Amino acid sequence: MPSLGMMTINALVSSDTVLIPVQAAYLPVKGLQQLIKTISMVKKRLNRKLTIQGILLTMVDFRTNYAKDIAFRVRHTYGSQIKIFESVIPLSVKVAEASAEGKSIYQHCLSGKVAFAYEKLTEEVLGYEE
């Protein structure tokens, strides 16, 4: 389940939008419902300007039927209410390596699939705001 403590509430109260990253796995997707309820409560009681910019699927391994099923379920369950980004962040050992080295993915593997995915996400987010 996501951490929904005071830090999360304060971050939501001080934000205009929230982008929700969710790992393509059962438990993170299960926690998504609680997070959306919390965002709705914050919007209703503390920050009327708060909107959900979209849901970003992360750590996706489309080689597996499991990841494909999770992606389908997220799109099917939430897609009519919340934007689901077309960009997805793939599962890659390069991310773990970059983290272990204390580097960004761009410093560690600029030409890798994760760096490319984040570039696509950036373009999508900026295009969405226009």
Side-chain angles (χ1 to χ4, degrees):
M1 291 293 220
S3 173
L4 301 176
M6 286 307 295
M7 293 289 283
T8 302
I9 302 300
N10 286 338
L12 293 171
V13 169
S14 65
S15 300
D16 293 328
T17 64
V18 61
L19 185 155
I20 304 171
V22 62
Q23 183 179 347
Y26 175 75
L27 289 177
V29 170
K30 192 93 165 126
L32 181 59
Q33 184 177 12
Q34 180 62 37
L35 180 58
I36 291 170
K37 284 181 184 178
T38 299
I39 292 167
S40 178
M41 182 273 304
V42 168
K43 180 180 176 98
K44 185 176 181 181
R45 297 182 185 172
L46 301 169
N47 179 1
R48 296 207 182 271
K49 293 189 292 184
L50 183 62
T51 60
I52 297 174
Q53 189 169 16
I55 296 172
L56 172 66
L57 290 165
T58 64
M59 298 179 72
V60 181
D61 184 355
F62 279 118
R63 297 175 300 173
T64 68
N65 288 332
Y66 176 70
K68 291 175 189 173
D69 183 53
I70 294 290
F72 172 80
R73 287 175 189 259
V74 168
R75 291 183 193 287
H76 178 75
T77 303
Y78 298 103
S80 64
Q81 308 155 25
I82 300 170
K83 175 181 176 54
I84 311 297
F85 288 99
E86 290 298 319
S87 302
V88 296
I89 308 304
L91 181 65
S92 173
V93 71
K94 295 292 184 187
V95 175
E97 292 171 356
S99 180
E101 293 176 9
K103 295 181 177 180
S104 77
I105 194 64
Y106 296 104
Q107 292 169 316
H108 180 72
C109 187
L110 180 61
S111 62
K113 64 183 180 180
V114 174
F116 180 74
Y118 275 112
E119 286 177 29
K120 286 298 184 192
L121 173 65
T122 300
E123 291 170 5
E124 189 174 355
V125 168
L126 292 175
Y128 177 68
E129 291 181 353
E130 291 177 350

